[in-house]
PDB file of all heavy atoms in Angstrom:
ATOM      1  N   GLN A   1     -19.449   4.850  10.928  1.00  0.00           N
ATOM      2  CA  GLN A   1     -18.443   5.901  10.717  1.00  0.00           C
ATOM      3  C   GLN A   1     -17.028   5.364  10.909  1.00  0.00           C
ATOM      4  O   GLN A   1     -16.120   5.662  10.133  1.00  0.00           O
ATOM      5  CB  GLN A   1     -18.697   7.106  11.645  1.00  0.00           C
ATOM      6  CG  GLN A   1     -19.967   7.882  11.323  1.00  0.00           C
ATOM      7  CD  GLN A   1     -20.091   8.293   9.840  1.00  0.00           C
ATOM      8  OE1 GLN A   1     -19.132   8.721   9.202  1.00  0.00           O
ATOM      9  NE2 GLN A   1     -21.288   8.148   9.291  1.00  0.00           N
ATOM     10  N   GLU A   2     -16.879   4.539  11.927  1.00  0.00           N
ATOM     11  CA  GLU A   2     -15.574   3.926  12.222  1.00  0.00           C
ATOM     12  C   GLU A   2     -15.110   3.046  11.046  1.00  0.00           C
ATOM     13  O   GLU A   2     -13.959   3.084  10.628  1.00  0.00           O
ATOM     14  CB  GLU A   2     -15.766   3.092  13.491  1.00  0.00           C
ATOM     15  CG  GLU A   2     -14.580   2.366  14.038  1.00  0.00           C
ATOM     16  CD  GLU A   2     -15.019   1.375  15.134  1.00  0.00           C
ATOM     17  OE1 GLU A   2     -15.926   1.722  15.943  1.00  0.00           O
ATOM     18  OE2 GLU A   2     -14.475   0.266  15.154  1.00  0.00           O
ATOM     19  N   ARG A   3     -16.032   2.272  10.491  1.00  0.00           N
ATOM     20  CA  ARG A   3     -15.697   1.393   9.371  1.00  0.00           C
ATOM     21  C   ARG A   3     -15.376   2.207   8.113  1.00  0.00           C
ATOM     22  O   ARG A   3     -14.437   1.889   7.381  1.00  0.00           O
ATOM     23  CB  ARG A   3     -16.873   0.434   9.114  1.00  0.00           C
ATOM     24  CG  ARG A   3     -16.615  -0.575   8.007  1.00  0.00           C
ATOM     25  CD  ARG A   3     -15.431  -1.485   8.298  1.00  0.00           C
ATOM     26  NE  ARG A   3     -15.074  -2.268   7.119  1.00  0.00           N
ATOM     27  CZ  ARG A   3     -13.832  -2.613   6.798  1.00  0.00           C
ATOM     28  NH1 ARG A   3     -12.816  -2.248   7.558  1.00  0.00           N
ATOM     29  NH2 ARG A   3     -13.585  -3.324   5.715  1.00  0.00           N
ATOM     30  N   ALA A   4     -16.154   3.267   7.884  1.00  0.00           N
ATOM     31  CA  ALA A   4     -15.892   4.137   6.730  1.00  0.00           C
ATOM     32  C   ALA A   4     -14.487   4.748   6.831  1.00  0.00           C
ATOM     33  O   ALA A   4     -13.752   4.806   5.839  1.00  0.00           O
ATOM     34  CB  ALA A   4     -16.946   5.239   6.643  1.00  0.00           C
ATOM     35  N   ALA A   5     -14.101   5.159   8.035  1.00  0.00           N
ATOM     36  CA  ALA A   5     -12.765   5.734   8.241  1.00  0.00           C
ATOM     37  C   ALA A   5     -11.678   4.686   7.988  1.00  0.00           C
ATOM     38  O   ALA A   5     -10.634   4.986   7.385  1.00  0.00           O
ATOM     39  CB  ALA A   5     -12.653   6.293   9.663  1.00  0.00           C
ATOM     40  N   ALA A   6     -11.930   3.445   8.422  1.00  0.00           N
ATOM     41  CA  ALA A   6     -10.942   2.370   8.236  1.00  0.00           C
ATOM     42  C   ALA A   6     -10.776   2.027   6.754  1.00  0.00           C
ATOM     43  O   ALA A   6      -9.655   1.844   6.258  1.00  0.00           O
ATOM     44  CB  ALA A   6     -11.364   1.129   9.023  1.00  0.00           C
ATOM     45  N   VAL A   7     -11.888   1.943   6.023  1.00  0.00           N
ATOM     46  CA  VAL A   7     -11.824   1.663   4.583  1.00  0.00           C
ATOM     47  C   VAL A   7     -11.123   2.815   3.867  1.00  0.00           C
ATOM     48  O   VAL A   7     -10.273   2.604   2.992  1.00  0.00           O
ATOM     49  CB  VAL A   7     -13.236   1.431   3.994  1.00  0.00           C
ATOM     50  CG1 VAL A   7     -13.189   1.354   2.474  1.00  0.00           C
ATOM     51  CG2 VAL A   7     -13.837   0.145   4.557  1.00  0.00           C
ATOM     52  N   MET A   8     -11.454   4.042   4.253  1.00  0.00           N
ATOM     53  CA  MET A   8     -10.819   5.218   3.651  1.00  0.00           C
ATOM     54  C   MET A   8      -9.302   5.153   3.831  1.00  0.00           C
ATOM     55  O   MET A   8      -8.540   5.402   2.892  1.00  0.00           O
ATOM     56  CB  MET A   8     -11.389   6.494   4.283  1.00  0.00           C
ATOM     57  CG  MET A   8     -10.812   7.775   3.720  1.00  0.00           C
ATOM     58  SD  MET A   8     -11.184   8.029   1.954  1.00  0.00           S
ATOM     59  CE  MET A   8     -12.827   8.742   2.042  1.00  0.00           C
ATOM     60  N   ALA A   9      -8.855   4.775   5.033  1.00  0.00           N
ATOM     61  CA  ALA A   9      -7.409   4.682   5.302  1.00  0.00           C
ATOM     62  C   ALA A   9      -6.739   3.670   4.371  1.00  0.00           C
ATOM     63  O   ALA A   9      -5.627   3.897   3.890  1.00  0.00           O
ATOM     64  CB  ALA A   9      -7.174   4.311   6.773  1.00  0.00           C
ATOM     65  N   GLN A  10      -7.444   2.547   4.095  1.00  0.00           N
ATOM     66  CA  GLN A  10      -6.934   1.535   3.154  1.00  0.00           C
ATOM     67  C   GLN A  10      -6.717   2.146   1.769  1.00  0.00           C
ATOM     68  O   GLN A  10      -5.694   1.937   1.128  1.00  0.00           O
ATOM     69  CB  GLN A  10      -7.968   0.413   2.979  1.00  0.00           C
ATOM     70  CG  GLN A  10      -7.828  -0.744   3.928  1.00  0.00           C
ATOM     71  CD  GLN A  10      -8.969  -1.752   3.666  1.00  0.00           C
ATOM     72  OE1 GLN A  10     -10.066  -1.397   3.234  1.00  0.00           O
ATOM     73  NE2 GLN A  10      -8.716  -3.018   3.954  1.00  0.00           N
ATOM     74  N   TRP A  11      -7.724   2.891   1.287  1.00  0.00           N
ATOM     75  CA  TRP A  11      -7.653   3.483  -0.051  1.00  0.00           C
ATOM     76  C   TRP A  11      -6.599   4.576  -0.101  1.00  0.00           C
ATOM     77  O   TRP A  11      -5.912   4.735  -1.113  1.00  0.00           O
ATOM     78  CB  TRP A  11      -9.023   4.045  -0.458  1.00  0.00           C
ATOM     79  CG  TRP A  11     -10.000   2.985  -0.878  1.00  0.00           C
ATOM     80  CD1 TRP A  11     -10.577   2.041  -0.071  1.00  0.00           C
ATOM     81  CD2 TRP A  11     -10.507   2.742  -2.198  1.00  0.00           C
ATOM     82  NE1 TRP A  11     -11.416   1.237  -0.809  1.00  0.00           N
ATOM     83  CE2 TRP A  11     -11.401   1.651  -2.118  1.00  0.00           C
ATOM     84  CE3 TRP A  11     -10.317   3.351  -3.438  1.00  0.00           C
ATOM     85  CZ2 TRP A  11     -12.081   1.144  -3.225  1.00  0.00           C
ATOM     86  CZ3 TRP A  11     -11.004   2.858  -4.549  1.00  0.00           C
ATOM     87  CH2 TRP A  11     -11.869   1.754  -4.427  1.00  0.00           C
ATOM     88  N   LEU A  12      -6.458   5.319   0.999  1.00  0.00           N
ATOM     89  CA  LEU A  12      -5.499   6.432   1.010  1.00  0.00           C
ATOM     90  C   LEU A  12      -4.056   5.963   1.229  1.00  0.00           C
ATOM     91  O   LEU A  12      -3.125   6.747   1.121  1.00  0.00           O
ATOM     92  CB  LEU A  12      -5.881   7.469   2.069  1.00  0.00           C
ATOM     93  CG  LEU A  12      -7.174   8.256   1.799  1.00  0.00           C
ATOM     94  CD1 LEU A  12      -7.417   9.278   2.893  1.00  0.00           C
ATOM     95  CD2 LEU A  12      -7.152   8.941   0.427  1.00  0.00           C
ATOM     96  N   ALA A  13      -3.895   4.665   1.521  1.00  0.00           N
ATOM     97  CA  ALA A  13      -2.535   4.134   1.692  1.00  0.00           C
ATOM     98  C   ALA A  13      -1.800   4.048   0.355  1.00  0.00           C
ATOM     99  O   ALA A  13      -0.584   3.896   0.304  1.00  0.00           O
ATOM    100  CB  ALA A  13      -2.592   2.758   2.356  1.00  0.00           C
ATOM    101  N   LEU A  14      -2.553   4.140  -0.741  1.00  0.00           N
ATOM    102  CA  LEU A  14      -1.930   4.068  -2.073  1.00  0.00           C
ATOM    103  C   LEU A  14      -1.473   5.443  -2.539  1.00  0.00           C
ATOM    104  O   LEU A  14      -2.041   6.452  -2.136  1.00  0.00           O
ATOM    105  CB  LEU A  14      -2.943   3.519  -3.082  1.00  0.00           C
ATOM    106  CG  LEU A  14      -3.172   2.024  -2.931  1.00  0.00           C
ATOM    107  CD1 LEU A  14      -4.522   1.762  -2.332  1.00  0.00           C
ATOM    108  CD2 LEU A  14      -3.004   1.341  -4.261  1.00  0.00           C
ATOM    109  N   PRO A  15      -0.485   5.470  -3.451  1.00  0.00           N
ATOM    110  CA  PRO A  15      -0.104   6.767  -4.031  1.00  0.00           C
ATOM    111  C   PRO A  15      -1.293   7.347  -4.816  1.00  0.00           C
ATOM    112  O   PRO A  15      -1.860   6.676  -5.665  1.00  0.00           O
ATOM    113  CB  PRO A  15       1.045   6.412  -4.984  1.00  0.00           C
ATOM    114  CG  PRO A  15       1.489   5.044  -4.597  1.00  0.00           C
ATOM    115  CD  PRO A  15       0.324   4.359  -3.968  1.00  0.00           C
ATOM    116  N   ASP A  16      -1.636   8.599  -4.491  1.00  0.00           N
ATOM    117  CA  ASP A  16      -2.812   9.239  -5.109  1.00  0.00           C
ATOM    118  C   ASP A  16      -2.791   9.178  -6.626  1.00  0.00           C
ATOM    119  O   ASP A  16      -3.781   8.838  -7.256  1.00  0.00           O
ATOM    120  CB  ASP A  16      -2.901  10.711  -4.685  1.00  0.00           C
ATOM    121  CG  ASP A  16      -3.517  10.873  -3.299  1.00  0.00           C
ATOM    122  OD1 ASP A  16      -4.091   9.902  -2.768  1.00  0.00           O
ATOM    123  OD2 ASP A  16      -3.421  11.975  -2.750  1.00  0.00           O
ATOM    124  N   HIS A  17      -1.636   9.557  -7.228  1.00  0.00           N
ATOM    125  CA  HIS A  17      -1.617   9.717  -8.694  1.00  0.00           C
ATOM    126  C   HIS A  17      -1.930   8.396  -9.408  1.00  0.00           C
ATOM    127  O   HIS A  17      -2.681   8.382 -10.368  1.00  0.00           O
ATOM    128  CB  HIS A  17      -0.290  10.305  -9.181  1.00  0.00           C
ATOM    129  CG  HIS A  17       0.872   9.395  -8.981  1.00  0.00           C
ATOM    130  ND1 HIS A  17       1.488   9.242  -7.753  1.00  0.00           N
ATOM    131  CD2 HIS A  17       1.514   8.557  -9.834  1.00  0.00           C
ATOM    132  CE1 HIS A  17       2.464   8.360  -7.864  1.00  0.00           C
ATOM    133  NE2 HIS A  17       2.508   7.922  -9.108  1.00  0.00           N
ATOM    134  N   ALA A  18      -1.392   7.296  -8.913  1.00  0.00           N
ATOM    135  CA  ALA A  18      -1.622   6.000  -9.568  1.00  0.00           C
ATOM    136  C   ALA A  18      -3.095   5.603  -9.454  1.00  0.00           C
ATOM    137  O   ALA A  18      -3.714   5.136 -10.416  1.00  0.00           O
ATOM    138  CB  ALA A  18      -0.733   4.925  -8.951  1.00  0.00           C
ATOM    139  N   ARG A  19      -3.659   5.809  -8.264  1.00  0.00           N
ATOM    140  CA  ARG A  19      -5.070   5.482  -8.055  1.00  0.00           C
ATOM    141  C   ARG A  19      -5.967   6.391  -8.902  1.00  0.00           C
ATOM    142  O   ARG A  19      -6.915   5.931  -9.540  1.00  0.00           O
ATOM    143  CB  ARG A  19      -5.425   5.624  -6.565  1.00  0.00           C
ATOM    144  CG  ARG A  19      -6.849   5.222  -6.248  1.00  0.00           C
ATOM    145  CD  ARG A  19      -7.298   5.691  -4.882  1.00  0.00           C
ATOM    146  NE  ARG A  19      -7.130   7.127  -4.699  1.00  0.00           N
ATOM    147  CZ  ARG A  19      -7.883   8.069  -5.287  1.00  0.00           C
ATOM    148  NH1 ARG A  19      -8.843   7.724  -6.116  1.00  0.00           N
ATOM    149  NH2 ARG A  19      -7.651   9.342  -5.064  1.00  0.00           N
ATOM    150  N   GLN A  20      -5.640   7.682  -8.948  1.00  0.00           N
ATOM    151  CA  GLN A  20      -6.452   8.640  -9.708  1.00  0.00           C
ATOM    152  C   GLN A  20      -6.447   8.325 -11.208  1.00  0.00           C
ATOM    153  O   GLN A  20      -7.493   8.368 -11.865  1.00  0.00           O
ATOM    154  CB  GLN A  20      -5.937  10.073  -9.492  1.00  0.00           C
ATOM    155  CG  GLN A  20      -6.279  10.621  -8.120  1.00  0.00           C
ATOM    156  CD  GLN A  20      -5.476  11.881  -7.773  1.00  0.00           C
ATOM    157  OE1 GLN A  20      -4.610  12.317  -8.529  1.00  0.00           O
ATOM    158  NE2 GLN A  20      -5.772  12.457  -6.631  1.00  0.00           N
ATOM    159  N   ILE A  21      -5.276   7.997 -11.744  1.00  0.00           N
ATOM    160  CA  ILE A  21      -5.176   7.697 -13.183  1.00  0.00           C
ATOM    161  C   ILE A  21      -5.970   6.429 -13.498  1.00  0.00           C
ATOM    162  O   ILE A  21      -6.678   6.346 -14.505  1.00  0.00           O
ATOM    163  CB  ILE A  21      -3.698   7.581 -13.632  1.00  0.00           C
ATOM    164  CG1 ILE A  21      -3.038   8.967 -13.574  1.00  0.00           C
ATOM    165  CG2 ILE A  21      -3.594   7.006 -15.043  1.00  0.00           C
ATOM    166  CD1 ILE A  21      -1.516   8.937 -13.654  1.00  0.00           C
ATOM    167  N   THR A  22      -5.880   5.447 -12.596  1.00  0.00           N
ATOM    168  CA  THR A  22      -6.631   4.203 -12.783  1.00  0.00           C
ATOM    169  C   THR A  22      -8.133   4.467 -12.756  1.00  0.00           C
ATOM    170  O   THR A  22      -8.881   3.988 -13.624  1.00  0.00           O
ATOM    171  CB  THR A  22      -6.256   3.183 -11.683  1.00  0.00           C
ATOM    172  OG1 THR A  22      -4.840   3.005 -11.687  1.00  0.00           O
ATOM    173  CG2 THR A  22      -6.932   1.840 -11.918  1.00  0.00           C
ATOM    174  N   LYS A  23      -8.565   5.257 -11.784  1.00  0.00           N
ATOM    175  CA  LYS A  23      -9.997   5.585 -11.668  1.00  0.00           C
ATOM    176  C   LYS A  23     -10.480   6.292 -12.936  1.00  0.00           C
ATOM    177  O   LYS A  23     -11.522   5.956 -13.497  1.00  0.00           O
ATOM    178  CB  LYS A  23     -10.223   6.480 -10.443  1.00  0.00           C
ATOM    179  CG  LYS A  23     -11.673   6.915 -10.237  1.00  0.00           C
ATOM    180  CD  LYS A  23     -11.819   7.686  -8.931  1.00  0.00           C
ATOM    181  CE  LYS A  23     -13.255   8.105  -8.669  1.00  0.00           C
ATOM    182  NZ  LYS A  23     -13.443   8.710  -7.338  1.00  0.00           N
ATOM    183  N   SER A  24      -9.701   7.263 -13.375  1.00  0.00           N
ATOM    184  CA  SER A  24     -10.063   8.031 -14.560  1.00  0.00           C
ATOM    185  C   SER A  24     -10.162   7.122 -15.789  1.00  0.00           C
ATOM    186  O   SER A  24     -11.092   7.225 -16.589  1.00  0.00           O
ATOM    187  CB  SER A  24      -9.027   9.137 -14.767  1.00  0.00           C
ATOM    188  OG  SER A  24      -9.147   9.668 -16.047  1.00  0.00           O
ATOM    189  N   MET A  25      -9.213   6.205 -15.910  1.00  0.00           N
ATOM    190  CA  MET A  25      -9.200   5.261 -17.034  1.00  0.00           C
ATOM    191  C   MET A  25     -10.460   4.378 -17.015  1.00  0.00           C
ATOM    192  O   MET A  25     -11.080   4.128 -18.040  1.00  0.00           O
ATOM    193  CB  MET A  25      -7.939   4.408 -16.894  1.00  0.00           C
ATOM    194  CG  MET A  25      -7.677   3.402 -17.975  1.00  0.00           C
ATOM    195  SD  MET A  25      -6.019   2.684 -17.741  1.00  0.00           S
ATOM    196  CE  MET A  25      -6.237   1.750 -16.211  1.00  0.00           C
ATOM    197  N   MET A  26     -10.853   3.938 -15.816  1.00  0.00           N
ATOM    198  CA  MET A  26     -12.020   3.062 -15.682  1.00  0.00           C
ATOM    199  C   MET A  26     -13.328   3.797 -15.979  1.00  0.00           C
ATOM    200  O   MET A  26     -14.283   3.209 -16.470  1.00  0.00           O
ATOM    201  CB  MET A  26     -12.101   2.492 -14.255  1.00  0.00           C
ATOM    202  CG  MET A  26     -10.947   1.589 -13.842  1.00  0.00           C
ATOM    203  SD  MET A  26     -10.825   0.053 -14.771  1.00  0.00           S
ATOM    204  CE  MET A  26     -12.301  -0.823 -14.259  1.00  0.00           C
ATOM    205  N   ARG A  27     -13.367   5.088 -15.669  1.00  0.00           N
ATOM    206  CA  ARG A  27     -14.643   5.818 -15.702  1.00  0.00           C
ATOM    207  C   ARG A  27     -14.797   6.765 -16.882  1.00  0.00           C
ATOM    208  O   ARG A  27     -15.890   7.279 -17.110  1.00  0.00           O
ATOM    209  CB  ARG A  27     -14.813   6.596 -14.389  1.00  0.00           C
ATOM    210  CG  ARG A  27     -14.885   5.665 -13.187  1.00  0.00           C
ATOM    211  CD  ARG A  27     -15.253   6.376 -11.901  1.00  0.00           C
ATOM    212  NE  ARG A  27     -15.541   5.398 -10.850  1.00  0.00           N
ATOM    213  CZ  ARG A  27     -16.230   5.647  -9.750  1.00  0.00           C
ATOM    214  NH1 ARG A  27     -16.702   6.864  -9.538  1.00  0.00           N
ATOM    215  NH2 ARG A  27     -16.448   4.701  -8.858  1.00  0.00           N
ATOM    216  N   LYS A  28     -13.721   6.978 -17.617  1.00  0.00           N
ATOM    217  CA  LYS A  28     -13.709   8.009 -18.660  1.00  0.00           C
ATOM    218  C   LYS A  28     -14.814   7.822 -19.707  1.00  0.00           C
ATOM    219  O   LYS A  28     -15.510   8.773 -20.062  1.00  0.00           O
ATOM    220  CB  LYS A  28     -12.326   8.029 -19.335  1.00  0.00           C
ATOM    221  CG  LYS A  28     -12.139   9.198 -20.293  1.00  0.00           C
ATOM    222  CD  LYS A  28     -10.746   9.200 -20.888  1.00  0.00           C
ATOM    223  CE  LYS A  28     -10.493  10.409 -21.752  1.00  0.00           C
ATOM    224  NZ  LYS A  28     -11.522  10.699 -22.760  1.00  0.00           N
ATOM    225  N   THR A  29     -14.989   6.606 -20.193  1.00  0.00           N
ATOM    226  CA  THR A  29     -15.963   6.353 -21.266  1.00  0.00           C
ATOM    227  C   THR A  29     -17.369   6.775 -20.859  1.00  0.00           C
ATOM    228  O   THR A  29     -18.087   7.425 -21.623  1.00  0.00           O
ATOM    229  CB  THR A  29     -15.970   4.845 -21.628  1.00  0.00           C
ATOM    230  OG1 THR A  29     -14.616   4.428 -21.761  1.00  0.00           O
ATOM    231  CG2 THR A  29     -16.701   4.589 -22.930  1.00  0.00           C
ATOM    232  N   VAL A  30     -17.743   6.418 -19.618  1.00  0.00           N
ATOM    233  CA  VAL A  30     -19.088   6.729 -19.128  1.00  0.00           C
ATOM    234  C   VAL A  30     -19.250   8.236 -18.922  1.00  0.00           C
ATOM    235  O   VAL A  30     -20.275   8.826 -19.279  1.00  0.00           O
ATOM    236  CB  VAL A  30     -19.369   5.941 -17.820  1.00  0.00           C
ATOM    237  CG1 VAL A  30     -20.701   6.326 -17.218  1.00  0.00           C
ATOM    238  CG2 VAL A  30     -19.354   4.447 -18.110  1.00  0.00           C
TER     239      VAL A  30
END
């Protein structure tokens, strides 16, 4: 749980919109 929280903090350190658009671009076709 501690490690999951630490990894989550790493991912949440980025601006949401940029990460979300990138994720959507990567996954849209599937």
Side-chain angles (χ1 to χ4, degrees):
Q1 292 309 318
E2 181 191 321
R3 183 61 190 145
V7 171
M8 181 64 83
Q10 269 178 331
W11 283 69
L12 292 182
L14 286 108
D16 279 347
H17 67 281
R19 183 195 55 72
Q20 286 165 356
I21 291 166
T22 305
K23 179 175 182 173
S24 165
M25 183 172 68
M26 296 295 293
R27 297 188 170 200
K28 188 178 185 310
T29 313
V30 175

